[in-house]
Amino acid sequence: MSNIIIIEFILYFIVMIAIGFYTSRTRMSHSIFLLGGKKLPGWALAFSERATGESAWLLLGFTGFVFTTGLSGIWVALGIAVGIIFAWLFLARKFMDETDKHGVLTLPDYLAVNYGEKANLIRWVASILIAGFFMFYVGAQLAGAGKLFFTSFNMNETVGIVLATIVVLGIAFFGGFISVVWTDMLQSIMMLITLCILPIVALIYVFTNDLSISQSLVTAGDSFNSWFGGATGFALGVLFFNNFSWFFGYLGGQPQLTARFMALKDKKEAKQARNVAIVWTILAYTGAFLIGLAAIAMYSQGTFSDVETILPHMILDLMPPWIAGLLLAGILAAIITTANSQLMVLTSSVSEDIIHKALGMRLTDSQLLRVSRITILISGIVGMIIALTSESLVYLIVSWAWAGVGCTLSPAILMTFFWKRYSSSGVIATIISGFVFTVLWISTPLDSIITSRFSTFFIAAFFGIVFSLMFPDKKKPERES
C-alpha cells in the first residue's frame, strides 16, 4: 500500500519543483520576485491566497480540534469564514489601489510610506514583528509535514521535515512570488478535493456501518453535542469569543495574504478573485467540519496520541491506495503553500523593508534579488531547526502567530485605511503593544481564559488610538519613492 503512495508523493515533489524551476525562467526583477509584477490572473491569486491562509492548520489542526470539541468547533469555522469574506469584500480592492498609488511591495512599507515622520522605525518594528513570529510559523508547517510522513509511512519525522524543507526552498528560491502562486494554485485545488471528497466518503461509511454521529457526540463527552459546548453565562461568552476570534486576524494584518491583494492588477481581476475565494472558503470549511464530526463517530476519544493526525489516518482507513496518495498529497500541499508564502514574507521584510528602505543600501536589482534568495535559504533552515526541536502543537503555534502578527497589524491597517487621525506614533504603539502583550499573554494562564487572538487585537487598537491622539502627526507625507 505505502509503495503506491510513496510513488505519488515523489511525483508530487517532482511536479512542484519543476513548476518552480519553469517559472524561474521569467525575466526576474526584485519587484517581480517579491510581488509578481501585477501580471498574475485574479483566479490564480485567489487560489493562492486560500491555500496560503489555511496551511496544515485547517487539515490537521482544525479537524483534530473538532474531534476533541464537537459541535462548538463550528464557531472557529464561522469566525474564519466571516473574516475571509469580509477581507475579500471590503479590503482586497483597497489594498490593490493603495499598492498602485504608493508603489510599495510589502505591508510594512505600505504603513511606512503613509507615516513618513517615523517611516524607517515603522519598517523596523513591523519587520521584527513579522520575522519573530513567522520563523515559528514556518517551523509549524514543517512540523506538520513531519507528522504527515510519520502517519502515512511510519517514516521518521526528522526525515519528513527535511524533505519538506527541500521542496519549500526549491520552489521559493527558483521563481519567488510567481512560482509560489502557480504552485499554490495547483495545491489549493488538491486541498479542496481532499476536503470535499473525504467527508462524503466518511459520511457514507458512517451511515452504512450503522454508526450515529448524534449518538457518538453524546458518548464522546457532556459538551460535544452542544453548539455552545454546554457553556452558559460568562463561560458562553468566553467560548464564543475564543473560537470566533480568528476573525480578527483576517482584517488586513496577515502579510502573506495581503500580498495577494496587493498583486491584483485591476477591478475585474479583483472581482473574479473575490468570487473564487469565497466559494473555496465555504466548501473547504464545511468539509473540514464534517470530517471532524465523522471522526467522532468512527473513532473513540483517546484513540490517537496526537489528534492532529486524524485526517491522514482517516484517509488511509477509507481510501484505496492510489486515491489515498492523492488526498494525502493534498495535506502536504497545504503545508508547502503556506511555508512558501511565509518564506516570501520573511524575505521581503529583510531585502525590501530593512536592507533596501530602512538601511538605504544602494544595491542593484540583481543584488537585491541575490539577497532575497539568500534570505530564503537562511529562513528555511532556521524554520527547519525550529520544527526539529519544538514539541508544540501545530494548532497552538499557528494560533499564537495569528495573534502576534495578524491581530497586531490588522488594527494598524484598518486605522490607516479608515481613520485620518491615525499617526506614525500610533502605528508604532500598535505594533509594539501587540507584540509585547501577545508574548506576555501566552506566557500566563490568561490565554486559557481569553485567547490572545481576541485580546491582542483590542489592546493593540487601544494603544494605537491613545498614542495617535496624544502624538498627532503634523501632516500626512507625500508619496515616498
Side-chain angles (χ1 to χ4, degrees), residues 134-199:
F134 268 39
M135 282 295 184
F136 290 94
Y137 212 157
V138 171
Q141 303 310 314
L142 298 176
K147 290 183 181 185
L148 175 63
F149 282 107
F150 176 76
T151 304
S152 304
F153 313 120
N154 201 26
M155 180 188 291
N156 184 287
E157 287 193 29
T158 298
V159 177
I161 289 170
V162 172
L163 285 175
T165 302
I166 292 171
V167 176
V168 167
L169 291 178
I171 294 171
F173 183 87
F174 283 131
F177 187 81
I178 292 176
S179 66
V180 167
V181 167
W182 284 116
T183 53
D184 279 0
M185 187 275 295
L186 178 60
Q187 293 172 122
S188 183
I189 293 172
M190 293 170 65
M191 289 169 62
L192 196 60
I193 290 172
T194 298
L195 290 167
C196 289
I197 290 179
L198 186 60

Side-chain angles (χ1 to χ4, degrees), residues 65 75-76 235-247 395 399 441 446-455:
F65 179 74
W75 299 109
V76 172
L236 174 60
V238 170
L239 179 141
F240 173 78
F241 281 114
N242 281 349
N243 286 353
F244 193 80
S245 60
W246 290 91
F247 166 82
Y395 184 94
S399 174
W441 204 273
L446 286 171
D447 197 51
S448 61
I449 302 172
I450 296 289
T451 175
S452 56
R453 296 187 306 274
F454 177 77
S455 61

Side-chain angles (χ1 to χ4, degrees), residues 53 96 145 216 334 349-350 381 408:
M96 178 186 73
S216 298
S349 290
V350 173
I381 292 170
T408 295

Side-chain angles (χ1 to χ4, degrees), residues 7 70 83 93 164 254 291 349 377-378 384 440 455 462 466:
I7 291 171
R93 276 182 55 178
Q254 290 290 352
I291 288 169
S349 290
L377 291 176
I378 294 172
M384 181 183 71
L440 292 177
S455 61
F462 172 78
V466 169

Side-chain angles (χ1 to χ4, degrees), residues 94-288:
K94 183 72 171 174
F95 270 109
M96 178 186 73
D97 293 339
E98 291 294 294
T99 301
D100 292 339
K101 177 182 176 182
H102 295 287
V104 295
L105 299 175
T106 69
L107 194 61
D109 197 32
Y110 170 69
L111 290 172
V113 298
N114 275 278
Y115 304 98
E117 285 190 12
K118 298 180 177 67
N120 280 345
L121 184 55
I122 290 172
R123 291 188 181 98
W124 274 107
V125 295
S127 297
I128 290 170
L129 174 84
I130 291 168
F133 280 104
F134 268 39
M135 282 295 184
F136 290 94
Y137 212 157
V138 171
Q141 303 310 314
L142 298 176
K147 290 183 181 185
L148 175 63
F149 282 107
F150 176 76
T151 304
S152 304
F153 313 120
N154 201 26
M155 180 188 291
N156 184 287
E157 287 193 29
T158 298
V159 177
I161 289 170
V162 172
L163 285 175
T165 302
I166 292 171
V167 176
V168 167
L169 291 178
I171 294 171
F173 183 87
F174 283 131
F177 187 81
I178 292 176
S179 66
V180 167
V181 167
W182 284 116
T183 53
D184 279 0
M185 187 275 295
L186 178 60
Q187 293 172 122
S188 183
I189 293 172
M190 293 170 65
M191 289 169 62
L192 196 60
I193 290 172
T194 298
L195 290 167
C196 289
I197 290 179
L198 186 60
I200 294 172
V201 174
L203 291 174
I204 291 172
Y205 177 87
V206 167
F207 293 127
T208 56
N209 286 273
D210 295 323
L211 300 173
S212 169
I213 291 178
S214 58
Q215 185 57 47
S216 298
L217 287 169
V218 173
T219 305
D222 294 336
S223 62
F224 277 69
N225 66 335
S226 168
W227 292 104
F228 298 101
T232 57
F234 178 75
L236 174 60
V238 170
L239 179 141
F240 173 78
F241 281 114
N242 281 349
N243 286 353
F244 193 80
S245 60
W246 290 91
F247 166 82
F248 298 108
Y250 280 100
L251 304 183
Q254 290 290 352
Q256 76 277 26
L257 305 184
T258 56
R260 274 69 186 166
F261 301 156
M262 295 168 75
L264 291 165
K265 60 185 176 182
D266 56 44
K267 294 179 180 179
K268 179 181 177 181
E269 296 292 339
K271 182 178 180 180
Q272 179 189 79
R274 177 199 68 196
N275 295 339
V276 170
I278 290 174
V279 171
W280 193 102
T281 299
I282 294 170
L283 291 175
Y285 272 92
T286 300

Side-chain angles (χ1 to χ4, degrees), residues 1 59-60 147-148 150-152 198 291 295 298-299 303-319 324 328 331:
M1 177 176 182
L59 289 98
L60 301 181
K147 290 183 181 185
L148 175 63
F150 176 76
T151 304
S152 304
L198 186 60
I291 288 169
M298 292 173 60
Y299 309 106
T303 300
F304 303 96
S305 58
D306 184 352
V307 295
E308 292 180 346
T309 62
I310 284 174
L311 184 63
H313 273 294
M314 188 182 288
I315 289 173
L316 293 170
D317 289 342
L318 295 177
M319 297 294 185
L328 288 170
I331 302 175

